[in-house]
Each structure stands twice: as C-alpha cells, then as structure tokens.
C-alpha cells in the first residue's frame, strides 16, 4: 500500500473548489467541521458508553468517549508519523503527511461510534439476537423472509454492528446536501472500516483481526469496493485503522475503570489487588509491576498532601499515566511491524505485545468484572432490551409491507410516519430499480437505521408513548 493513495482527498461525490473562496482548510479539516456540525454527532451526548440512562454528569457518554478517542487518535498520528520519518525512514512518506494523518485520525475518533444504537454495545447484541430469533417467523405474502432474502442480506442483521452502521450513516443517511451523506474524504472512510469484509467473510477463528466482524453491509458493497480501489487497499486494512483501534482501546479500557471507580463498583484497594492478580495471571514483567506501584505511590502522595480523597486522586492521576504508556506502546508496535502493516499482513492489534499491553488487558478484565457484570448494569440492560425488542417488533412488522404493494394496517401506516423523512427518501433513492428481495432488505435496514439514530432517552420515551405508559 502507498501513502499517496491511502491519504486520498477524493470524495464519493467530487466537490469543485470555488475560485477566490478564501477557504484555506485542507480537505481533512473540512471533514472535521462537517462531523462536528452534524446532528448525528450531537446525539452521542445521550447515548450510553457503559452505564445506560445514567444520571451522573461525570460518567462518560458516547460523546465524551468519542472526543477522548479523537484526542488519542491525533496523538497517535503524531507519534507514528515521527517514528516513520525518524526511525523507519520510509522514502515515500512525506513530512506533510504527518498533519494529514493527525487530522484523519482526529476525525475517525469522532466517527467510530456514530452508528451505535441506544444502550451501548448491549444494544447491538439485542438487535442481533432479535433478528436471529425472529427472521424465520417473519413473512411477506405468506412467504418467510428467510426464503426471500439472500444469505448475505440475512447475515447482515444476524451480525449487526455499530461500526458497520457508521459507514452507512456518514455515506448515505446523514442528508447534508444529497444522498451521499456527509460526503467525507475516502481516506477517512477507509480508516473507519476496521473490518474490511462482508458479513459472509467473518471468521473469528482465523487469527486475523480484519475478519473478526463485518465492515460493510450488502447495501454498501459497491461503495466499499470504490473506496478500496481509490485507496489501493485491496481488501486489506487501512494502516490508520490500526491506530484508530488502539485509540479506542486506550480510551475505553482506562475510562471504564475510572468510571467504575467513580460509581463505587470497585474500590481503590480492590483495583490494586486486581492489578497485581492479573499481572501474575498474564505473566507480566517489571514494567507492569512498576506501573501498579505508581498507583500506590500516587495514593501515598495524596495522603501526604492531605487531599480530601486520596483514593480518587490516585486513580485519576494514575489513569493519565497509563494512557501515556499505552500510547507509547501502540506507537512502538506500529513502527516495529511497519512492513507487515503496509503489506496488509499484520493480523494483530497494536496493543497485543509488551508489558503495557498486558496492563490494557488487565484493565479490560477488571472493567468487565466490576462494571459490566454489576447488578445495576444488568437491570438497566434488561430495561434496554425490553425497549429495543418492542420497537423492533412494531417497526419491522410495518416496514415489511411498507411500499410493497401489500395492504398496511392503520397502525403500521402511523408507525412509518415516525421514521425520519430523510431516511425514507434515502430508501426510495437506493431501492429504485432494485429487485423485490433487495427492496425488502433495504426496508429492514430502514428500521435499524431509525433505531440507531435514536438516543437512549428518545428510545425510552417512544417506547413509553407507544405502550401507553404515561
């Protein structure tokens, strides 16, 4: 792969620069402003990161998480670029590419969760499980949908992913000017496609990170292929996708533990004990132990300074220290595996090697045990499942017969009026001239599009209103 192509400024719909406009921004800086100004991005402030429907002002939402990923992404872009220029010394990597990469990763961080449904990753699970449980019993003209839709169309719903939805949202659903969505640069689009395979290409046992999940729906297959041709990736991961993934991992693995501590799910001493336990379990070396000791040292310093809460002081300051170590770890691993990354043969995450990578693993395990499996989370997730199952049942039933030539009930007609007119316009645009089975598939996507566009609060309120709960 070549950086000159990987950093393509081309957009799906070409945009002509206006002579004398005075706009000196790069194309990637324009992407940033398109994202920041979008309603889709603003909705992230009311979407779950870990704790659904949480009332605390401190606990992270998808918006604050995305801002953190964006910040880490930009830092990684700077670090990696310097490594390439000073140590790798790739003659094809120009100094000005550093600024481009920083801007692209900054934008990618803002976008990486923009397609997620309400109620966090559990919302994705609910959508997948609902379609797996119900697709066989859903019918159109007395014919099961499993006999109408192709295998790939069905599997797109069985393997539903927020990452995949993000590509669809920014390229079609966010109606800025026309049916091309935000019309972002193809370099940025390539970066947010973390898994460059279809739902049929998923292979979680392959040992290759690129086949862990799907990266595009059947509906975006032509778009995906166009991006691949422009960037010259040929079914391989864009190198910057590794950096985006690392930025996401650093953000959520450190933040989830901090949020769990703030919520009282884990105490300071429990955190210390668990870190030492996982260090032994993972076979970590001296760098890991020194990092745990740094947490204890910060606690002592907090006591010496007589701060009001030395445990909180220690955890918050230590998290910042860990983030710096993980950024350095990801940077070093990118440089060490540069040839494989550029050849598309690197199969692991950047945070898969070294003592600091083991710290990231430990934090992930601790967050899962103390936050994701806690009783309050379970209660909120069950509530989220009830809401999403209800919405899926009502809207899918209506969408199946919508504009199919089959009669709709009065309630089904009213339900379809609740779906965004822009989304329905996009459906009509892309279903024009398509086969009946593809139109049906796009109508089902219309439902998941609508639900993914909902905030946690709106989904809850709509459920209550449609259920007659006052």
């Amino acid at each position: 792969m070549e950086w000159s192509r990987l950093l393509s400024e081309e957009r799906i719909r070409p945009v002509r620069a206006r002579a004398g406009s005075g706009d000196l921004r790069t194309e990637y800086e324009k992407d940033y402003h398109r994202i920041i100004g979008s309603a889709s991005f603003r909705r992230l402030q009311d979407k779950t990161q870990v704790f659904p429907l949480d009332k605390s002002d401190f606990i992270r939402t998808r918006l604050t998480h995305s801002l953190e990923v964006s910040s880490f992404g930009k830092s990684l872009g700077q670090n990696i670029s310097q490594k390439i220029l000073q140590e790798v010394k790739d003659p094809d990597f120009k100094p000005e590419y550093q600024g481009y990469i920083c801007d692209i990763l900054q934008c990618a961080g803002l976008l990486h969760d923009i397609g997620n449904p309400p109620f966090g990753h559990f919302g994705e699970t609910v959508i997948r499980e609902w379609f797996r449980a119900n697709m066989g019993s859903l019918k159109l003209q007395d014919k099961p949908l499993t006999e109408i839709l192709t295998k790939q169309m069905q599997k797109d719903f069985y393997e539903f992913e927020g990452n995949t939805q993000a590509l669809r949202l920014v390229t079609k659903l966010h109606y800025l000017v026309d049916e091309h969505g935000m019309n972002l640069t193809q370099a940025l689009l390539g970066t947010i496609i973390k898994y460059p395979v279809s739902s049929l290409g998923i292979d979680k046992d392959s040992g290759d990170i690129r086949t862990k999940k799907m990266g595009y729906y059947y509906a975006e297959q032509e778009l995906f292929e166009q991006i691949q041709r422009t960037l010259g990736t040929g079914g391989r991961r864009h190198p910057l996708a590794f950096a985006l993934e690392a930025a996401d991992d650093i953000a959520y693995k450190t933040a989830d533990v901090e949020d769990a501590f703030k919520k009282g799910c884990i105490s300071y001493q429990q955190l210390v004990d668990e870190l030492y336990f996982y260090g032994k379990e993972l076979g970590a070396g001296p760098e890991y132990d020194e990092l745990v000791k740094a947490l204890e040292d910060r606690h002592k310093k907090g006591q010496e300074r007589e701060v009001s809460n030395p445990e909180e002081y220690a955890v918050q300051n230590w998290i910042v220290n860990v983030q710096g170590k993980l950024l350095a770890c990801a940077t070093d691993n990118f440089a060490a595996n540069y040839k494989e990354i550029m050849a598309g043969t690197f199969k692991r995450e950047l945070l898969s090697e070294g003592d600091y990578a083991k710290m990231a693993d430990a934090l992930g395990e601790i967050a899962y045990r103390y936050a994701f499996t806690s009783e309050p989370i379970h209660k909120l997730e069950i509530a989220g499942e009830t809401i999403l199952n209800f919405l899926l049942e009502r809207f899918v039933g209506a969408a199946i017969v919508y504009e199919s030539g089959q009669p709709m009930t009065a309630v089904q007609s009213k339900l379809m009026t609740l779906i965004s007119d822009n989304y329905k316009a996009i459906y009509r645009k892309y279903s024009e001239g398509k086969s009946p089975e593809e139109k049906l598939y796009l109508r089902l996507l219309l439902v998941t599009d609508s639900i993914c566009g909902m905030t946690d609060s709106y989904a809850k309120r709509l459920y209550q209103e449609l259920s007659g709960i006052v």
Side-chain angles (χ1 to χ4, degrees), residues 390-402 406-419 424 447 462 465-468:
F390 173 86
L391 296 176
L392 283 164
E393 181 181 350
R394 301 304 294 274
F395 281 102
V396 167
I400 287 173
V401 292
Y402 176 68
Q406 298 300 302
M408 298 180 72
T409 67
V411 171
Q412 288 174 334
S413 296
K414 291 174 182 176
L415 281 166
M416 293 308 296
T417 66
L418 300 179
I419 292 180
K424 287 184 287 192
V447 175
L462 184 61
E465 292 171 344
L466 297 183
S467 299

Side-chain angles (χ1 to χ4, degrees), residues 11 22 40 78 90-91 186 207 219 269 273 275 279 281 296 310 315:
R11 302 179 186 274
S40 302
Q78 184 172 11
D90 181 348
Q186 294 190 51
Q269 193 57 52
D273 293 343
L275 287 170
E281 285 284 302
E296 296 177 299
V315 172

